[in-house]
Amino acid sequence: MKRIAFYGKGGIGKSTIVTNIAAVYAERGKKVMVVGCDPKADCTRNLIDEEIPTVLDVMRERGVVKGYEEIDVSEVVYEGRMGILCVECGGPEPGVGCAGRGVIVATDLLRRIGAYEGVDVVLYDVLGDVVCGGFAMPLREGLASEVYIVTSADFLAIYAANNICKGIVRYASRGGSLLGGIIYNVRGSFENAQAVSKFASLIGSRVIGSIPNSKIISESEIASMTVVEYAPSSDIAQIFRKLAEDVYRNQNAVVPRPLSKEALKEIAMNS
Amino acid sequence: MKRIAFYGKGGIGKSTIVTNIAAVYAERGKKVMVVGCDPKADCTRNLIDEEIPTVLDVMRERGVVKGYEEIDVSEVVYEGRMGILCVECGGPEPGVGCAGRGVIVATDLLRRIGAYEGVDVVLYDVLGDVVCGGFAMPLREGLASEVYIVTSADFLAIYAANNICKGIVRYASRGGSLLGGIIYNVRGSFENAQAVSKFASLIGSRVIGSIPNSKIISESEIASMTVVEYAPSSDIAQIFRKLAEDVYRNQNAVVPRPLSKEALKEIAMNS
Ligand SMILES: Nc1ncnc2c1ncn2[C@@H]1O[C@H](COP(=O)(O)OP(=O)(O)O)[C@@H](O)[C@H]1O
Ligand SMILES: Nc1ncnc2c1ncn2[C@@H]1O[C@H](COP(=O)(O)OP(=O)(O)O)[C@@H](O)[C@H]1O
Ligand code: SF4
Ligand SMILES: [Mg+2]
Ligand SMILES: [Mg+2]
């Protein structure tokens, strides 16, 4: 089973990218699962029309003391369009314990109840603003073999990308995930492909794909669909297909070399 | 001593606003302290030319086992321009424990070593992407009597603001902070004053000040200064002075009523 995680600063375009890559694999006949690891629990909104209960919701309702054996796969895994399996980890109420707790609880449960059986590809969509507690889970437990970091050219997004690299380095030596590559999403912020490629090459990686700012993405967002379903013959759908293919076939995962604060500022300065 | 916290999504404009409000109070002869509670540790960059050691750095170097008595105020509190006292909590390496740990450690230390003596106003600049662990500290320990939430009109910023309200509610009944108001920072994102005021009034609060997108802010950022120092007679400096005054005199702090997901989406939809 292919296991890939996508990290990046909140709002950078992770869910857009993950759901579209999932749709491309589904188009090719793969059984895909998307696991949303963002407390917003909206990662699979473009794949399934109903709002699905989060794993944390289900655990809370059952009273966790009953134990994992009580929860059936069908209570936490929902089939969306194109046969894509959708899971939302969820998060606790803000201010109540660790924001990443949903990820810890859910990833643990999914393994125990055999939720991955029959799945060809699992994609984790993970909040990357803080790389701690539950949000570091996909990196460290070998849940994902590769991580792709989504970034724009904005300093804050690159700063977050660099922190995610530090998280990867931390767990790499004990079976953690490796960095597969950087995905440059222009997403309305100012363009600076050079700054993003410079960052990627300095950390020992590369930009595996770039996604331009696209009106079709905004339209399909309003339609709550992936671009691959909404506008299958558009240029942007083709861009997602190429990205999905390049990610699938990528053999170059590395332990990144995170940059110092000075090096980061220099990239921002010279852009 | 006046104690005020400023929360908001990363990149929303907290440090810009906090340092400028600090400069206004300093202009009026107040002894001001700014405590940066963002792992980026760059909250006081516009107030002091040297990069100051974070509290966590100092604790780490000393080996925490020595205990608090060993650390002198001058090792963690630095005087910047206009006599403003600067503290950076710092954060652990990403992936290593709780991102908010610096805030827990630092706020605890500052109290014990008498760092607040002689201070008229302390302003906390706090990361608001996740409202858990250390980042909830300023809300719960009565460190701040009021909280101001900085937001733009973007859905993600308002979503984060709503989560911060949930954090406030959680601790309000046991001496936690109350919500003083919403600060609308246009910050280059699309303008929608109506959506922001609607959000503020639905949660039982109000917009206490609005800051337009400003080239002078960008210029002073490059000069690593506050607008109040860089362009003291500009319109934007006047806007900061009025905001600082309104915040200082505000008597209307409330326990907010966080909105449901549906209500939040409706605000975003109708904008
Ligand atoms: N390349 C793009 N062009 C236009 N809009 C985009 C692009 N990428 C993302 N968006 C929009 O940006 C917003 C945030 O994207 P999303 O995928 O939800 O981010 P994340 O999951 O990282 O928080 C969505 O409204 C989405 O439609
Ligand atoms: N009203 C504004 N107009 C123009 N630029 C702004 C405005 N507010 C903030 N900025 C810029 O946005 C960036 C992020 O602001 P900052 O105060 O550092 O955010 P935060 O502390 O919330 O992460 C900075 O480059 C800052 O100069
Ligand atoms: S580990 Fe991270 S997510 Fe968990 S409480 Fe700390 S800051 Fe929040
Ligand atoms: Mg998302
Ligand atoms: Mg800041």
Side-chain angles (χ1 to χ4, degrees):
Chain A
M1 179 175 74
K2 225 157 164 44
R3 303 159 294 125
I4 307 169
F6 295 80
Y7 274 76
K9 183 165 171 44
I12 204 71
K14 290 181 294 301
S15 303
T16 302
I17 289 166
V18 170
T19 53
N20 274 285
I21 288 180
V24 172
Y25 295 154
E27 248 181 1
R28 306 275 188 90
K30 298 276 181 230
K31 192 63 183 165
V32 189
M33 175 186 277
V34 173
V35 181
C37 304
D38 187 319
K40 291 211 300 308
D42 63 351
C43 309
T44 56
R45 209 174 54 75
N46 288 348
L47 297 173
I48 188 164
D49 299 322
E50 39 167 322
E51 191 175 320
I52 66 179
T54 69
V55 176
L56 217 52
D57 287 339
V58 175
M59 304 280 293
R60 258 191 297 249
E61 238 163 88
R62 297 293 264 278
V64 182
V65 290
K66 282 225 181 98
Y68 298 118
E69 300 73 21
E70 299 273 345
I71 293 180
D72 186 71
V73 175
S74 62
E75 300 185 65
V76 292
V77 182
Y78 293 84
E79 186 161 311
R81 293 190 305 277
M82 304 178 85
I84 299 169
L85 302 176
C86 300
V87 181
E88 293 287 355
C89 296
E93 276 302 291
V96 186
C98 185
R101 193 162 74 81
V103 185
I104 296 172
V105 161
T107 50
D108 187 54
L109 177 74
L110 291 173
R111 246 185 306 207
R112 291 186 198 219
I113 64 177
Y116 296 114
E117 278 163 42
V119 173
D120 297 321
V121 188
V122 57
L123 308 178
Y124 296 91
D125 174 343
V126 195
L127 184 83
D129 296 278
V130 289
V131 193
C132 48
F135 303 117
M137 217 45 199
L139 296 178
R140 64 196 244 193
E141 298 276 319
L143 284 170
S145 48
E146 296 98 46
V147 177
Y148 290 87
I149 302 175
V150 183
T151 189
S152 68
D154 289 338
F155 177 74
L156 285 178
I158 295 180
Y159 181 89
N162 198 55
N163 274 356
I164 295 157
C165 288
K166 291 186 180 185
I168 294 171
V169 168
R170 171 123 182 94
Y171 299 110
S173 54
R174 7 174 168 159
S177 325
L178 299 177
L179 178 63
I182 302 294
I183 298 171
Y184 174 34
N185 188 18
V186 179
R187 181 162 170 23
S189 47
F190 81 111
E191 288 207 43
N192 197 339
Q194 202 178 26
V196 179
S197 331
K198 181 142 210 253
F199 169 72
S201 83
L202 285 176
I203 60 172
S205 180
R206 60 184 173 119
V207 174
I208 192 167
S210 294
I211 301 165
N213 194 13
S214 158
K215 282 215 158 32
I216 295 181
I217 288 180
S218 313
E219 291 176 25
S220 58
E221 157 99 355
I222 290 169
S224 289
M225 297 177 86
T226 58
V227 166
V228 168
E229 293 170 276
Y230 179 81
S233 39
S234 61
D235 287 349
I236 188 81
Q238 273 309 98
I239 288 174
F240 279 124
R241 285 189 189 100
K242 173 152 199 333
L243 174 63
E245 175 110 2
D246 292 342
V247 162
Y248 201 89
R249 296 185 179 185
N250 185 24
Q251 302 284 340
N252 300 338
V254 301
V255 179
R257 292 181 307 258
L259 304 183
S260 68
K261 235 197 266 186
E262 293 67 33
L264 275 180
K265 285 190 193 142
E266 203 162 319
I267 293 176
M269 285 301 167
N270 301 340
S271 25
Chain B
M1 179 172 75
K2 224 157 167 44
R3 303 160 294 124
I4 308 169
F6 295 81
Y7 274 76
K9 183 165 171 41
I12 204 71
K14 289 180 296 300
S15 304
T16 302
I17 289 166
V18 170
T19 53
N20 274 283
I21 289 179
V24 172
Y25 295 155
E27 250 182 0
R28 307 276 189 88
K30 298 276 179 230
K31 192 64 182 165
V32 189
M33 175 185 279
V34 174
V35 181
C37 303
D38 187 317
K40 289 210 302 308
D42 63 349
C43 309
T44 56
R45 209 174 53 77
N46 288 347
L47 297 173
I48 189 164
D49 299 321
E50 39 167 323
E51 191 175 321
I52 66 179
T54 68
V55 176
L56 216 52
D57 287 338
V58 174
M59 304 280 293
R60 257 191 295 250
E61 242 164 86
R62 298 292 263 278
V64 181
V65 290
K66 285 225 183 97
Y68 298 118
E69 298 75 18
E70 299 273 344
I71 294 180
D72 186 71
V73 176
S74 62
E75 300 186 63
V76 292
V77 181
Y78 293 84
E79 185 160 310
R81 294 191 304 278
M82 305 180 82
I84 299 169
L85 302 176
C86 300
V87 181
E88 292 288 354
C89 297
E93 276 302 292
V96 185
C98 185
R101 194 161 75 80
V103 185
I104 295 172
V105 161
T107 50
D108 186 55
L109 177 74
L110 292 173
R111 248 186 303 206
R112 292 185 198 217
I113 64 175
Y116 295 116
E117 277 164 44
V119 173
D120 297 321
V121 188
V122 57
L123 306 178
Y124 296 91
D125 174 342
V126 195
L127 184 83
D129 296 279
V130 289
V131 193
C132 48
F135 303 117
M137 218 43 201
L139 296 178
R140 62 196 248 192
E141 299 276 317
L143 284 170
S145 47
E146 295 98 47
V147 177
Y148 291 86
I149 302 175
V150 183
T151 189
S152 68
D154 289 339
F155 177 74
L156 285 178
I158 295 181
Y159 181 90
N162 198 55
N163 275 355
I164 294 158
C165 288
K166 291 185 180 185
I168 294 171
V169 169
R170 171 125 182 91
Y171 300 110
S173 54
R174 5 175 170 160
S177 325
L178 299 178
L179 177 63
I182 302 295
I183 298 171
Y184 174 33
N185 188 18
V186 179
R187 170 137 185 47
S189 46
F190 81 109
E191 288 208 44
N192 196 341
Q194 202 176 27
V196 178
S197 325
K198 179 141 210 253
F199 169 72
S201 84
L202 285 174
I203 61 172
S205 180
R206 59 183 174 121
V207 174
I208 192 166
S210 296
I211 301 164
N213 193 14
S214 159
K215 281 212 160 34
I216 295 181
I217 289 179
S218 315
E219 291 176 24
S220 58
E221 156 99 356
I222 291 169
S224 290
M225 298 178 85
T226 59
V227 165
V228 168
E229 294 170 274
Y230 178 81
S233 38
S234 61
D235 287 350
I236 188 82
Q238 274 307 99
I239 289 174
F240 279 124
R241 285 190 189 98
K242 172 152 200 331
L243 175 62
E245 175 109 2
D246 292 342
V247 162
Y248 201 88
R249 297 187 177 183
N250 185 23
Q251 302 284 341
N252 299 341
V254 301
V255 179
R257 290 182 308 256
L259 304 185
S260 68
K261 235 197 266 181
E262 294 66 33
L264 276 180
K265 286 190 195 144
E266 204 163 318
I267 293 177
M269 285 303 167
N270 300 341
S271 28

